[in-house]
Amino acid sequence: MNRPAIFSRSSLSRRHLLAGTAFGAAALAAPAILRAQPAPVKIGLLHPVTGFLAFSGQQCREGALLAIEAINAAGGIKSLGGAKLEPVLGDAQSKPEVGAAEVEKMNEAGVAAIVGAYASAISLATTQSAARYGIPHIVDVGVSDQIVQRGLTNTFRFCPGYGVIAKIAIDNLVALNDAAGKPARTVAIVHEESLFGTGTAQLLQKELPARGFEVVEVAKHANPTRDFTNVVLKLKALAPDIVIPANYYNEYVLLARTMRQQGVRPKAIYSVLGGAASSFKFVKEFPDDAAYIMDCNHWYDPRKAEALELRRKAEAKGLYYTYEVFLAHEAVRLLADALERAGSASRERIVEALATSSWDGHFMPYGPTRFVNGQNEGARPVNTQVLNGTIEVIFPAEFASARPVFPMPRA
Amino acid sequence: MRSLPAIGFFALAALPLPWLTSSGTVLNLATMVLLFATLGQAWNLLGGMAGQFSFGHAAFFGTGAYATAIAQIRFGLDAWSGFALAILAAVAMGALVGFASFRFRLRGSYFALVTLAFAEVARILANSLEITGAGVGLLLPLAPGLDRLQFADKAGYYWFALVLCTGGLVLASLVRESRLGARLAAVRENEEAARALGVDAFAVKMQAILLSAGLAGAVGAFYTQLFLYLDPHIAFGPQVSVEALLGPIVGGTASLWGPVLGAAVLQLLGEASRALTGGATGANLVAYGIVLVLIVRFFPDGIIGMGRARAADARGVTG
Amino acid sequence: MLEPSILAASLIHGLANGAVYALVALGLSLVYGVLHIINFAHGALLMAALYAVYFLVERVGLDPYAAIPILVPAAGVVGYLLHRYVVAKASRGREEAVLLVTLGVALVLENLALALFRSDTRTIETGWAFEMVAVGPALLPAAKLAAAAGALVAVLALWAVVRATDLGRAIRAVAKEREAARLVGIDVDHVFALAFAIGTATLGAAACLLLPTYYVSPQVGHGFVLIAFTIVVLGGMGSFWGAFWGGLLIGVVESLGGLFLGESLGQIGIFAIFIATLLLRPTGLFGRAV
């Protein structure tokens, strides 16, 4: 009876000893860790997550949060001793004045920078408010070029504006048409009535005639438009070779479906910033409507593993991998890179670091960042086409994953 | 001018806020309260005092907002002239809407719906016309300076809003204590009886809508100066009309201070519901909606009314 | 470029759309005619009904049309409770209070949908979305024709209820002479809530007929509220046949406006007619009240 007792006692004491050492070590180490753990860097994520832009706003927020999660998991900002990023969430409620009010709150919450605000109208208000406090503001999506033309030194846009997008869209359209032996000559533009659709359509309308295309129809429509039959009937009568939609998701889907219902089949549906044309949701839910649709839009470089990894992560969270997700994600990483190089969470230092940024760690096809007046000069859109139930890149040639199918086959 | 001391006290008490707080959030919130208080005061001149329920104050707000933006961008005028033009343009819009609807004796929900329709027509036109920038909207260049009515710091805008709100209060109290106020009250309570007593109901209602539209136009112009960007939805969207009437009804339509109190309560409610519900998407607006219903349930005459007795009292003053 | 065939096709499409609009506006017309209130929650209630259809189709596997007998009574019950215990309780019958309460209800419903279902646009796949029927020079989706037919049936049903039943008589009595109805022993509050319930129930039917050709998102009701108000006024508040003809008229005006002025500016036609009707003939162009 003794032996087991002694044995057990000794084993107990042994365990105690071990536990004691571990505890002791932890106790000794704890203050050191506490001391080494630097204050987190607060990042304002400001998006319209309620109201009529809620879908896009939520997608942006999720993308940005995924980036923060990944950066923190990888050890935070190294030059700040592994400081973690701490998101400060804001809801612009799809209204510019609420967005501006959120900036005030973020300023007082002590954010080092703001990433937002999806819509151009809201971004104009938030960048202006943030400028008052010198808060660096990365615009994640807003495509209006006015955002970066107001002389605000705190404002940076990573993605292209509609000026560049319209230009490249036309260049690629010409290349596409030339390569196929110029089968297309007439174009109809169908665009939504707000800033991005109207602005894009105006640029296209001005530029296309100079490049040998005749614009036979420009149809502007409201959001929401309940029925597209009229537009489609006109398209049927005019029979343009190419239809260019520039609108939001819901209207895009209705338009594409109505075209199919009415048997309108142009040589190409070539969207510029098409709300659904390069959306996995559209391709999955309406594969027949989506087939062969081309889009000139924000798109990642499919050669980059991180881009595909993010798609997997987003889909694991039940999200569609839309442009909002990866643009907001990369906007946060751009900021993290600036923090890394600034070695400081001070707003001026971050602005400086962004202005002189030459970051090439991203997965967008932009090359190293180079900001001129806040606009990333290398930013450009990509042309995609829905082929065999998935979205393939058809331009630029250096990372195209498929050859364009143009004109699209008669069903 | 029985209300003048109270208004003076209000303005003086509100004056030093920018020196008392360094918080941009507080100052911004206060500015927005003053903005919506003035818009509510404008609505109340017509909706509360004259009993003509408008659902379309966006028509006046938006006209003012666009007028000053167009004056500055298209015609190179300074912001002060733009501001004056904004008020004139909004008054003209008020004359159009008022003449059409009062001439044909529209009342109650019919009047409400016709104003809503006018605002929608304005929105659709702004979306298509060249001069309003169509869907692209209008962006004023960012250039602080007194001649451009742009301020480098929040305090400037706060005082600007305070001047506007005080002006609205003075206007409303002048109307209340004038013969016009008495006639408006008579028309509100019983238009037939008022007519029988020799009140020209059409003229009285026209005066109310002109004043109301002018003040709403001034608020619209202020919005333009503050945010520098307009599009048809921001200026003429139905949400503007709703915000214009929400404050006075919540605060109390019978009182001079109802719109101010209503605007303050609603803005604070918006803030509180956001703070309490945290980041959950939409939860803040669910809470806002519930509290709105509860306010209507428990303060039938607006918060300032608190009970029929005081509301009747206030009516007695104006009537 | 405007060939007669386009014009004719556009007219026919306008009529079909108009019938769907009428279906959405019917309930609003009843509520307006009886209760004399502007119900701002109408669009949000339509949205809620659309979500209900969506889940019945996607999760239970029902056909959207088979969901009608479930959704109509369910929506009716919701409408009854909503009026009796929220709208009536909070507003005590005052017009401006009803406005605020229904506005609050709309805010709550929309943002609850946002919180629960996220903001994704949802559509159902029916298998017959591309079944087209030639009507004269126009090609109409079969689902849209079904919705138009459903609108006609709904009008007839409502008309029969209001004309030929005791409930209908009570509703008419209350609509005309509230106090007198009370004096002869009609439970006015109950009848009000029933009218609201019937109004909401028609939205249940509308949702089942609408979803196959449309979509649902938390904001979807906004697109129908103003147009429904317009139809109610054109038709004469409280008149079902008025709402039906008003809907057709609006459908045609929208279609032709879109054809001649474009889909953005063309919307102005709807409001121009709306304003003209309000000014010149505020009792509506068609029919008479219940």
Side-chain angles (χ1 to χ4, degrees), chain A residues 58 97 102 105 108 220, chain B residues 23-25 127 271 274 281:
Chain A
Q58 287 180 358
E97 66 268 23
E102 291 290 89
K105 263 176 261 168
E108 268 154 47
K220 176 160 100 168
Chain B
S23 160
T25 305
N127 231 324
E271 290 304 315
R274 247 184 284 184
T281 309

